[in-house]
Amino acid sequence: MPELDGFGAGRLSSPSGPPLPSAPPSPPSPRFVGRDRELALLEAALDRSAVVLIDGEAGIGKTRLLREVLASRTGRGLRTLIGACPELRVPYTLGAVVDAVRDGVTDVAELGLSDLSGALRPLFPEWAADLPAAPEPLQDPTAARHRLFRALAEILTRLEAPALVLEDVHWADEATLEFLLYLVSRRPVPVRLMVTYRRDEVPFESTLLRLSSRLPADAPLTRLALEPLDAGDTAALVSSMLAGEHVPTDLAAFLHERTAGIPLVVEESVRFMLDRGDLVRHGGGWTRRRTDRSEVPPTVRDAVLKRVGRLGPDTRTVLYAMSVLAGPADLATLMTVAGLVEERFAGQVADALGCGLLRESGPGQWSFRHPTACQAVYEVVPAQERRVMHLRAGRALERWPVPPVERLARHFRLAGDTEASWKYTERAAGLSARSGDVAASALLLHDLVTTVALPAEALVRLVAGIQFQTLPGSDPHSKVIDSLRSALATQALTPRQEASVRFQIGRVLMVAGEIEAGRREVMRAVPQLAIDSPEAARARTLLALPLGKALPASEHLKWLYEAPAVVPSIAPGDRLLRAVEHAFALLMLGEEAGWAAARTIPDEAAGPEEASVVATGHANVGEEAMRWGRYDEARTRLARSLALAERYALSGHLDSIAATKAHLDWFTGTWTGLADRMARLLDDDSGVRLKDRCEAALVAGLVRACGGEREAAGELLRFAARDDQQRFEAAAALARLALRDGDVDEALRLTEEPAAITVDGGIWPRAVEVAPVRVSALLAAGRDADAARLVAAFARAVGDRDAPAARASVVACRALLAEALGQVGDAEALFAEAAEAWGALPRPYDVLLARERQARCLLVSGRQEAGARMLSEVSRQLAELGARDDAARSALFLNARGWDARKARGRGRPSYGDQLSPRELAVARLLVRGRTNRQISEALTVSTQTVASQVKSAMRKLRVTSRTALAIRLVELGLVGEETRPAAADE
């Protein structure tokens, strides 16, 4: 493994040798940042200093700094000798110097060395043919070493290299260090010396420490001590690995804290997070998934453990204790956790403090230099020893003047002390929430309830306090449900306790999207809940929500109005939550009283816990405003929710807000870049909750369907239907695709249950997208009476409510019915009214679809020119919007009736693009009548090969894969039923 002393490069290679290896393609090696001052000092030192000493811990960037300055010098034709001291149990004598010299010599015979160089034969046996004979052996070892040093100095002088660079000299053998002392004591110094080392690994008695004291007066010394990067430079380094994109402040702060600003650790951490999918795109930038995984990059872990492995057993125990403490501690606490008697501890703590992994973080307080090193050591502590040390740590920290409750909660939880863990976790979660970190509070509670077997009452109270939307991962619910079920199965509970546990199971199941299972648990709990309790009120509100296999609206409203009145003694937080859920339920059920209830939700919050509830309330009201067609209200509510989420760092809310805003953009025709915005939310590895992924899939599926990507659209829409909130709109979109393919039975099947629940059940806000498609399917099946009953029921359910989307949908349904019944004039007027109603929202796509049907009515009623002009304009606007499939349909309809204003291409055949040519249309019409290719060829006086080619071309243009589907598509487009006219010669 490379030595951790640079940006993943390990050590320099000589500029005169092979080029440095290129950076891996993804992500690239980071840019050189945060070292401008050091770079300038080093540049100046190469011109004036005899010795340059560069000190810094592993990974700090010593090698990269040298590489940057030497690269520019090499570019000017200057040659530098470079050697490195590897970490070996028994270092090679003068190994780094020999490697540097060997790499710098092309032909030793050309150097004109004296007979003295014969002493170099043992070091350079490959030069034996070009070196003088070996001199007579000397009996005095000191004299022999001096002669060898003189020979090496001579060759350095003859090479005329500007500098000798030796890296990692803390690992050098004694002969190398003595040679360096010899070099700097000569006058003049034969070569500039540049040395890198780690001060924390240099023994007190090392010859290296004497290097600066032996310099002559005319040999200046430059010392450089490299420090970690600050947060700004850390962000710049990370950005350079992410194609120069902006790195959010919170991500930069996390990486800076996690890596302590050590460049190599930053680089390895970014690569590791990218490989695991913990670093993902969000809103056009990068963000970190909130995750309970926090592993150490393998390269960093291996380097740390290699250093630990060189220590004795008791010294390792001290480091184990420090890793268990995972934070600053005094030596007395460290001794207690290590479990060593004072005599043994005193003998080992010095080695532990001197190994380079620890630092003094405050007066009398010690900790690991870097969190990654701490975790690397912690992961190798034996399990039983780790548990005992956690218990010792908890008991020791309890005696501190101000006990650190979060650390105590962790220690007692990992030690298996349930009662103490529960006590301190609840206190730590409360402190986190009050200090603004709702996510940390939720994580603490989640970890506790999913890892510790708690009494039922405590378990219920803690689960009720978890803000699930702030938790990482797409499924933070299952483990909580398992813990609650375990309490039911293993504890002796009173009926009321059992009801409380069941209510929480049901609530969490419903939050997770398992509506029917959750409703069953809540129903079982209701009879035993105290009638005036907040739980009883919430239970009835949950049962009032028209989700899953919803009952008629009247049944849901009964639950809502059965909820007990808000008693004065109710806690403010429970009162706010009750108001938010009550407003949401009313709006979902289509009750205008919900808007008055929504106005009671405050715009601001007193703290992060309240902000989470208020942000959820505004987001929910915004979603319902979108379904009612109150788009200005929807945007205002979503903006308020987003402002609160950003102000209080409620990152778990951001995906939901983004998905709903995209949904609103779909309705209002803001389609540019919409599919790309949804791509991140759809990523299975990005930690987005299923609910938000489903809404993103719905929007992406709708966009792809309009673009003609039927297969991809169908897959996305079927995925979207997994969420109860999106399933009706997804079913409507799938049914629309089925109708376009001529599959009426499938369209009927897809819309049957949604229509029964939304229209027949009176839950009209969910019927806006369903009703028109259901009416179209019934009419296509010849079930005109059923269609008429559905339209009437939908109109009754909506009534005179101020619901612009529903009212426009009712008019569109009436227009479809009138058109099917042959009432062309009424249909044309109704489609015009629907277009105007959709436009007031605005919903431009639905406006254009209504105008398309209006134009067809004009054509059928004989107003050919007006209809053609309108349809031509509709086709153009559909294409501009991005609805290419619909635009092609309108253009084909016009083309079939001779109203296509084809543009001349100059000489040669006309171009019909994606529209059917007259010949293709003639062939297709005969195909619809059941004619074979031979019969068609005889009727049109062309070859059967030409007919086959025209059929294939028509299938491609209309995006179908069979003759049957082609016939169905032609019927849908209204391109059949007329007598075949002579086709133009477009062959």
Side-chain angles (χ1 to χ4, degrees):
M1 188 197 80
E3 139 71 359
L4 290 180
D5 198 3
F7 289 75
R11 302 190 178 90
L12 293 169
S13 62
S14 173
S16 62
L20 294 172
S22 60
S26 178
S29 290
R31 187 166 55 86
F32 186 59
V33 300
R35 300 290 189 227
D36 292 344
R37 183 186 70 85
E38 292 86 349
L39 189 62
L41 288 173
L42 193 54
E43 282 277 8
L46 280 176
D47 294 326
R48 61 178 175 79
S49 296
V51 178
V52 178
L53 300 179
I54 304 175
D55 169 30
E57 60 185 294
I60 199 69
K62 302 185 292 295
T63 295
R64 182 66 183 269
L65 176 63
L66 284 172
R67 179 191 299 174
E68 294 293 326
V69 72
L70 294 180
S72 62
R73 299 243 160 186
T74 303
R76 298 199 295 268
L78 301 177
R79 183 169 56 180
T80 302
L81 306 179
I82 301 173
C85 305
E87 183 185 10
L88 300 173
R89 188 177 299 275
V90 180
Y92 297 134
T93 301
L94 293 167
V97 178
V98 169
D99 289 342
V101 171
R102 183 189 295 111
D103 290 343
V105 173
T106 304
D107 185 351
V108 69
E110 294 180 356
L111 296 179
L113 298 174
S114 69
D115 289 345
L116 180 63
S117 62
L120 299 176
R121 281 177 170 270
L123 297 179
F124 300 98
E126 64 271 33
W127 293 350
D130 298 312
L131 289 175
E136 291 293 328
L138 296 174
Q139 298 301 316
D140 183 356
T142 303
R145 177 166 291 189
H146 182 260
R147 184 169 65 184
L148 181 62
F149 288 174
R150 287 173 56 210
L152 282 171
E154 179 189 10
I155 200 169
L156 290 175
T157 303
R158 297 295 177 88
L159 283 171
E160 298 181 349
L164 170 63
V165 177
L166 295 183
E167 292 198 86
D168 299 328
V169 178
H170 50 278
W171 285 327
D173 63 290
E174 189 64 23
T176 297
L177 296 176
E178 290 181 359
F179 176 64
L180 297 182
L181 284 174
Y182 170 80
L183 282 180
V184 301
S185 65
R186 288 171 60 88
R187 292 175 176 79
V189 176
V191 65
R192 287 183 174 82
L193 184 62
M194 303 177 71
V195 169
T196 73
Y197 66 101
R198 305 177 195 165
R199 179 175 293 275
D200 56 20
E201 295 200 31
V202 177
F204 178 75
E205 69 280 2
S206 172
T207 304
L208 177 60
L209 298 179
R210 296 160 49 201
L211 193 60
S212 59
S213 64
R214 295 284 295 273
L215 284 174
D218 59 350
L221 168 70
T222 296
R223 293 180 184 272
L224 287 177
L226 299 188
E227 298 294 333
L229 301 178
D230 61 24
D233 289 330
T234 298
L237 188 150
V238 175
S239 174
S240 71
M241 298 181 68
L242 303 175
E245 296 184 23
H246 172 69
V247 177
T249 303
D250 58 342
L251 174 60
F254 166 78
L255 285 168
H256 183 257
E257 179 183 2
R258 176 87 179 141
T259 64
I262 306 301
L264 178 62
V265 184
V266 175
E267 178 186 357
E268 292 298 316
S269 296
V270 170
R271 293 185 188 280
F272 194 53
M273 291 171 71
L274 286 169
D275 288 344
R276 296 199 318 173
D278 290 344
L279 195 58
V280 295
R281 289 188 173 277
H282 185 287
W286 291 89
T287 188
R288 176 179 68 95
R289 286 176 54 192
R290 293 299 298 258
T291 173
D292 53 2
R293 299 182 306 172
S294 187
E295 298 174 21
V296 181
T299 51
V300 177
R301 181 191 61 233
D302 293 347
V304 171
L305 297 184
K306 182 170 63 175
R307 187 179 297 191
V308 173
R310 298 198 298 261
L311 304 173
D314 283 351
T315 308
R316 285 200 296 271
T317 297
V318 174
L319 289 178
Y320 289 171
M322 184 61 78
S323 74
V324 166
L325 283 164
D330 57 77
L331 294 183
T333 302
L334 182 59
M335 182 176 69
T336 299
V337 177
L340 297 176
V341 296
E342 187 171 356
E343 293 76 12
R344 287 177 62 191
F345 178 77
Q348 303 302 321
V349 71
D351 289 342
L353 298 179
C355 73
L357 293 173
L358 306 181
R359 65 182 175 88
E360 191 172 13
S361 53
Q365 297 283 311
W366 292 83
S367 64
F368 272 88
R369 285 182 179 273
H370 317 305
T372 49
C374 177
Q375 187 171 345
V377 174
Y378 181 78
E379 289 173 356
V380 299
V381 181
Q384 183 57 35
E385 187 174 356
R386 186 189 303 171
R387 187 183 181 99
V388 170
M389 284 186 171
H390 276 298
L391 186 58
R392 292 175 186 154
R395 290 172 178 169
L397 267 57
E398 280 185 313
R399 296 193 292 271
W400 283 15
V402 181
V405 291
E406 187 169 344
R407 291 175 68 181
L408 282 164
R410 171 180 173 269
H411 286 309
F412 283 120
R413 175 169 59 84
L414 295 174
D417 188 332
T418 300
E419 186 174 349
S421 172
W422 156 28
K423 176 179 71 174
Y424 285 116
T425 299
E426 198 163 7
R427 287 173 58 184
L431 285 173
S432 295
R434 288 192 294 275
S435 65
D437 196 346
V438 179
S441 175
L443 277 172
L444 284 167
L445 294 177
H446 188 273
D447 285 348
L448 177 63
V449 302
T450 57
T451 58
V452 178
L454 298 168
E457 288 189 0
L459 179 62
V460 165
R461 184 179 67 255
L462 295 171
V463 169
I466 297 176
Q467 300 271 0
F468 282 96
Q469 65 270 32
T470 69
L471 291 170
S474 58
D475 179 20
H477 313 96
S478 296
K479 290 183 178 180
V480 174
I481 294 168
D482 290 344
S483 295
L484 289 164
R485 292 196 188 281
S486 176
L488 275 183
T490 60
Q491 298 183 32
L493 305 177
T494 67
R496 185 157 293 177
Q497 288 175 328
E498 180 180 339
S500 293
V501 174
R502 285 200 183 280
F503 167 68
Q504 289 300 331
I505 292 174
R507 182 184 71 85
V508 178
L509 281 169
M510 294 183 76
V511 170
E514 298 184 44
I515 304 299
E516 292 305 315
R519 180 177 282 139
R520 286 193 296 272
E521 294 290 351
V522 174
M523 289 281 287
R524 292 182 65 181
V526 165
Q528 298 298 330
L529 292 172
I531 190 62
D532 58 347
S533 67
E535 286 179 323
R538 290 198 72 192
R540 285 166 171 78
T541 302
L542 288 176
L543 293 173
L545 296 175
L547 302 172
K549 296 179 180 178
L551 302 170
S554 57
E555 295 295 320
H556 288 284
L557 284 168
K558 285 181 183 178
W559 282 111
L560 198 61
Y561 293 127
E562 279 183 10
V566 178
V567 297
S569 60
I570 190 173
D574 290 332
R575 184 187 302 272
L576 176 62
L577 185 60
R578 170 87 178 273
V580 164
E581 293 179 341
H582 186 74
F584 184 42
L586 285 170
L587 292 174
M588 286 189 74
L589 289 165
E591 294 296 301
E592 287 197 310
W595 297 111
R599 286 192 287 275
T600 68
I601 301 174
D603 293 343
E604 299 296 334
E609 287 184 290
E610 185 175 304
S612 181
V613 177
V614 174
T616 299
H618 284 305
N620 288 344
V621 173
E623 181 179 359
E624 291 310 305
M626 176 183 70
R627 298 191 186 281
W628 281 55
R630 298 184 175 196
Y631 293 158
D632 289 342
E633 173 92 2
R635 290 198 185 282
T636 299
R637 294 285 182 167
L638 291 173
R640 289 175 185 169
S641 181
L642 180 61
L644 286 166
E646 291 179 339
R647 187 182 313 155
Y648 290 97
L650 306 173
S651 58
H653 291 67
L654 298 178
D655 291 336
S656 293
I657 298 168
T660 304
K661 187 178 183 303
H663 201 165
L664 182 58
D665 287 342
W666 156 260
F667 283 132
T668 57
T670 311
W671 292 6
T672 303
L674 199 53
D676 291 338
R677 283 163 53 194
M678 296 299 93
R680 184 199 63 81
L681 294 177
L682 288 168
D683 183 3
D684 190 33
D685 294 325
S686 62
V688 179
R689 290 185 302 165
L690 178 63
K691 169 189 176 297
D692 303 323
R693 289 176 62 206
C694 286
E695 188 164 15
L698 173 68
V699 174
L702 292 168
V703 171
R704 289 184 180 272
C706 287
E709 301 176 57
R710 304 275 186 95
E711 186 174 345
E715 185 176 344
L716 286 164
L717 293 169
R718 283 187 288 274
F719 179 83
R722 293 172 60 183
D723 178 62
D724 194 82
Q725 293 281 67
Q726 317 306 329
R727 67 187 181 105
F728 292 161
E729 191 174 347
L734 288 167
R736 194 176 299 116
L737 289 175
L739 285 175
R740 289 181 183 179
D741 291 335
D743 193 343
V744 176
D745 290 341
E746 176 66 4
L748 288 170
R749 184 191 69 79
L750 286 165
T751 56
E752 183 174 9
E753 184 194 24
I757 291 174
T758 61
V759 179
D760 299 338
I763 306 173
W764 60 264
R766 294 296 189 272
V768 173
E769 316 307 323
V770 172
V773 185
R774 178 65 176 176
V775 168
S776 296
L778 290 170
L779 293 172
R783 295 167 56 182
D784 296 358
D786 289 338
R789 281 193 293 271
L790 182 74
V791 174
F794 186 24
R796 283 195 304 274
V798 176
D800 59 355
R801 290 178 174 85
D802 183 10
R807 296 171 75 87
S809 185
V810 168
V811 176
C813 289
R814 287 172 171 160
L816 291 168
L817 183 60
E819 182 185 37
L821 296 176
Q823 301 165 0
V824 179
D826 291 344
E828 187 270 327
L830 286 167
F831 280 126
E833 182 183 347
E836 185 176 353
W838 289 125
L841 292 171
R843 276 176 61 160
Y845 179 54
D846 293 282
V847 169
L848 293 172
L849 294 182
R851 291 291 183 203
E852 179 187 14
R853 302 301 287 256
Q854 181 188 0
R856 292 194 184 195
C857 289
L858 289 172
L859 289 170
V860 170
S861 64
R863 297 157 66 182
Q864 300 289 321
E865 187 171 347
R869 280 199 305 270
M870 179 181 289
L871 196 54
S872 178
E873 179 63 13
V874 165
S875 179
R876 182 187 67 79
Q877 292 184 26
L878 283 168
E880 288 179 355
L881 183 62
R884 295 183 298 275
D885 200 44
D886 301 282
R889 179 184 63 244
S890 298
L892 284 168
F893 189 90
L894 276 174
N895 180 32
R897 285 154 179 78
W899 285 98
D900 179 35
R902 294 194 298 257
K903 297 180 180 180
R905 293 197 312 165
R907 294 185 179 182
R909 290 183 250 170
S911 171
Y912 297 96
D914 286 338
Q915 302 177 17
L916 296 186
S917 70
R919 176 67 74 195
E920 291 166 346
L921 189 57
V923 168
R925 284 175 172 160
L926 291 172
L927 180 146
V928 171
R929 297 176 187 175
R931 306 287 180 88
T932 65
N933 282 5
R934 180 172 297 280
Q935 291 170 329
I936 295 172
S937 70
E938 292 172 353
L940 299 180
T941 321
V942 296
S943 69
T944 54
Q945 290 85 353
T946 297
V947 172
S949 176
Q950 299 289 355
V951 170
K952 184 176 180 180
S953 178
M955 289 166 58
R956 175 182 59 79
K957 290 181 178 181
L958 296 184
R959 300 183 179 92
V960 296
T961 56
S962 69
R963 291 167 68 96
T964 301
L966 175 60
I968 293 171
R969 185 77 166 124
L970 289 165
V971 171
E972 177 197 357
L973 292 171
L975 300 181
V976 297
E978 302 178 15
E979 292 299 322
T980 303
R981 292 175 290 187
D986 59 316
E987 312 282 346

